[in-house]
Amino acid sequence: MPQDLCRMTLKETQNFLASKNPSDFKSLLDSLTDRVGQVDSQVKAYLSLNPAPAAPKIENSNSEPLWGVPVSLKDNICTEGWETACSSRILKGYIPPYDATVVKKLKNKGAYLFGKCNMDEFAFGSSCESSAHHPTFNPWDIRRVPGGSSGGSAACVASDEAICSLGSDTGGSIRQPAALCGIVGMKPTYGRVSRFGLIAFGSSLDQVGPMTKTVEDNAILLQAIAGHDPLDSTSADVEVPDYTQFLSKNIKGLKIGMPKEYFIKGIDPEVNAALQEAAKVYKSLGAEIKEVSLPHSKYGIAVYYVVATAEASSNLARFDGVQYGYRAPAENLIQMYVETRDRGFGQEAKRRILLGTFVLSAGYYDAYYLRAQKVRTLIQQDFQNCFKEVDVILSPTSPTTAFTIGEKTEDPLSMYLSDIFTISANLAGVPALSIPCGFDSKGLPIGAQLMGNYFDEATLYRAAYAYEQTTHWYERKPKL
Ligand code: GLN
């Protein structure tokens, strides 16, 4: 049934394509393309589909575990010969001459690149509304945002317009949209996945990670992209375990911490209730639940919006009309820079550049940037202390379910607060994942976040899998 193939998980897709028959690949591709044709005029997750659709070559049948598996990519992950523009006007027409390392790894394992997904411009945002193209809409209710900045990736997976997708996460951009769209999203440990070819936002925070229908799929996809890369000096030379080996329902004795600072006023009561329920499920599976403390997390948002904007302002300095993408017509060089940047960047990008330049400027550097870096160290120490007591930390991913389009665009601060629970993991560099943990009374998905110790993604998958296989929330699908 071609129309149902698009609904497969990555694991099912691997089985379906196991004999590497090009006609099976073709039926799957037709099913996905039909599905995009049916629903993407409402969801608007995609910017483009692969301009050269063809079954991947079979080079070596034993080393291509992802043969033919269609993977969608956020628009900030470089693909050779295929426009990669971070949903920004300033990079319009930029065709990378090389593949990001994650893309190269996928291709080497036989995967097929299906489409490029919409995002907040340069990954600045939590709603996918700052894209220069158009917003993306939440498949569960198209009057609502899918979250951001990897909103396109989350929405296409949730609506079965994709088998799986890669996003990027600087302050929550994989996990928050995963939560708002009811899918699984992992931000790996900083250094676990190469950033080579990921267009930089905040270089000390950015990670690429998998966005999938199930925990098992997520483990398979992380396995495919993780590992040391000589082209990224911040990638870590730490062995990548076979994550699927850790997927077991047995989590007896697992110690789970719930940070008291994360269950505060302002969090949606239905989100809170779902998390308390999740804790009960964990207890019933034999896990031990403890209250823990992350005392400096209250400074997380402030620290993040200093560090991330500082790094963004320097990373975005290279977009000047000379080397990449868009160039505004002008009479002289200075006017060309000014006009290109003025017309090329959207409002949120300009706000970040201004903020970042300010906190780095002489006279303010010590008061803002340096101080923020010191508090960042305290936040890291909080996590190190916590992981002496527990194996994983459980919290909400987002304080609310999906909000309506336009609700927060006029008030950037309220938008920034959407990341209150996700930012600390980036500041500390620890891995964190979001899994579906129920629905609110409007029928919108709720996400639970699990944070783990450095390079211990395996324990996160184990904890997530046990919960998923007990609750089966992932089986519910939007009615699109
Ligand atoms: N929403 C956060 C921001 O606007 C995080 C974005 C991200 O992780 N790329 O910066």
Side-chain angles (χ1 to χ4, degrees):
M1 290 288 278
Q3 66 270 36
D4 286 325
L5 295 177
C6 62
R7 300 199 180 271
M8 292 191 295
T9 63
L10 196 169
K11 181 72 192 169
E12 289 163 352
T13 306
Q14 278 182 313
N15 293 339
F16 175 73
L17 295 172
S19 53
K20 299 194 177 169
N21 183 341
S23 76
D24 289 340
F25 172 77
K26 170 119 187 5
S27 343
L28 169 59
L29 201 59
D30 287 349
S31 164
L32 275 173
T33 318
D34 285 357
R35 181 72 183 156
V36 172
Q38 270 166 20
V39 301
D40 209 49
S41 56
Q42 300 169 67
V43 179
K44 290 184 166 290
Y46 282 110
L47 300 174
S48 61
L49 297 187
N50 192 330
K57 288 199 202 72
I58 303 171
E59 308 278 354
N60 171 355
S61 49
N62 293 326
S63 66
E64 284 152 354
L66 295 181
W67 186 83
V69 173
V71 183
S72 298
L73 302 168
K74 189 176 181 179
D75 194 37
N76 58 355
I77 300 174
C78 285
T79 40
E80 184 180 345
W82 185 359
E83 188 181 81
T84 303
C86 291
S87 289
S88 176
R89 251 189 307 273
I90 208 159
L91 274 174
K92 194 171 164 27
Y94 172 62
I95 301 193
Y98 65 96
D99 279 328
T101 295
V102 290
V103 170
K104 213 178 288 166
K105 281 183 178 259
L106 289 176
K107 282 186 177 171
N108 286 342
K109 295 187 171 70
Y112 170 79
L113 308 180
F114 181 67
K116 295 304 266 284
C117 300
N118 198 24
M119 58 185 277
D120 281 294
E121 182 178 13
F122 282 104
F124 301 149
S126 308
S127 69
C128 223
E129 292 165 294
S130 78
S131 162
H133 304 280
H134 46 72
T136 292
F137 301 91
N138 192 313
W140 292 90
D141 176 353
I142 54 169
R143 293 163 303 178
R144 294 176 185 272
V145 303
S149 60
S150 316
S153 293
C156 69
V157 173
S159 58
D160 289 317
E161 293 177 74
I163 300 297
C164 59
S165 187
L166 292 185
S168 72
D169 191 312
T170 307
S173 277
I174 288 176
R175 291 160 285 155
Q176 184 257 14
L180 271 43
C181 289
I183 64 163
V184 182
M186 165 74 103
K187 179 204 86 78
T189 309
Y190 183 78
R192 181 51 107 184
V193 176
S194 168
R195 292 184 298 112
F196 179 76
L198 169 69
I199 299 177
F201 161 5
S203 308
S204 76
L205 304 155
D206 298 341
Q207 273 293 286
V208 177
M211 304 178 74
T212 56
K213 298 176 187 177
T214 66
V215 174
E216 181 180 35
D217 284 5
N218 210 280
I220 296 169
L221 195 52
L222 180 61
Q223 181 87 40
I225 60 168
H228 178 242
D229 177 14
L231 297 174
D232 171 7
S233 60
T234 64
S235 84
D237 202 353
V238 175
E239 203 195 330
V240 182
D242 178 357
Y243 294 119
T244 54
Q245 299 279 303
F246 295 86
L247 306 177
S248 131
K249 276 186 78 176
N250 182 2
I251 53 159
K252 266 205 184 68
L254 189 79
K255 292 198 188 76
I256 300 179
M258 293 176 81
K260 59 174 190 242
E261 295 81 4
Y262 280 45
F263 293 88
I264 41 164
K265 267 205 293 213
I267 137 170
D268 179 337
E270 292 189 82
V271 172
N272 190 22
L275 262 296
Q276 302 308 332
E277 240 357 90
K280 279 191 204 145
V281 171
Y282 271 118
K283 254 191 212 151
S284 74
L285 291 171
E288 191 186 316
I289 306 277
K290 275 175 100 155
E291 187 182 89
V292 290
S293 173
L294 293 167
H296 297 93
S297 42
K298 58 175 179 281
Y299 304 117
I301 295 228
V303 169
Y304 172 83
Y305 277 96
V306 172
V307 173
T309 58
E311 293 182 12
S313 74
S314 75
N315 277 325
L316 268 54
R318 75 192 70 173
F319 303 117
D320 55 6
V322 177
Q323 305 171 77
Y324 310 96
Y326 172 74
R327 176 183 300 167
E331 279 161 20
N332 58 50
L333 185 64
I334 297 294
Q335 197 193 353
M336 192 280 287
Y337 288 150
V338 171
E339 285 291 316
T340 299
R341 287 173 69 85
D342 186 32
R343 295 188 204 177
F345 287 127
Q347 215 184 8
E348 185 59 27
K350 286 178 185 160
R351 185 180 291 127
R352 304 276 175 127
I353 294 170
L354 287 171
L355 258 169
T357 308
F358 175 75
V359 299
L360 288 175
S361 58
Y364 293 102
Y365 180 93
D366 287 359
Y368 293 105
Y369 185 71
L370 195 66
R371 184 168 300 182
Q373 291 288 32
K374 290 179 179 169
V375 182
R376 183 177 183 177
T377 303
L378 298 175
I379 292 173
Q380 285 163 350
Q381 287 168 354
D382 283 355
F383 279 95
Q384 282 158 0
N385 290 335
C386 250
F387 289 123
K388 285 180 197 147
E389 287 178 54
V390 295
D391 303 305
V392 298
I393 298 173
L394 173 67
S395 79
T397 306
S398 161
T400 65
T401 53
F403 44 93
T404 52
I405 299 277
E407 193 177 321
K408 298 192 179 183
T409 38
E410 295 309 310
D411 180 3
L413 209 56
S414 79
M415 187 74 87
Y416 297 171
L417 287 170
S418 327
D419 306 315
I420 187 147
F421 301 132
T422 48
I423 270 172
S424 297
N426 301 76
L427 290 169
V430 297
L433 122 171
S434 180
I435 37 168
C437 89
F439 290 83
D440 72 3
S441 49
K442 298 190 198 78
L444 300 168
I446 299 172
Q449 174 174 244
L450 292 166
M451 297 185 276
N453 208 344
Y454 296 96
F455 297 102
D456 195 12
E457 287 83 1
T459 301
L460 291 184
Y461 283 136
R462 185 173 147 228
Y465 183 79
Y467 176 79
E468 176 197 65
Q469 294 302 313
T470 310
T471 56
H472 294 273
W473 294 115
Y474 69 97
E475 286 171 3
R476 230 194 261 187
K477 295 273 189 175
K479 288 189 211 65
L480 257 184

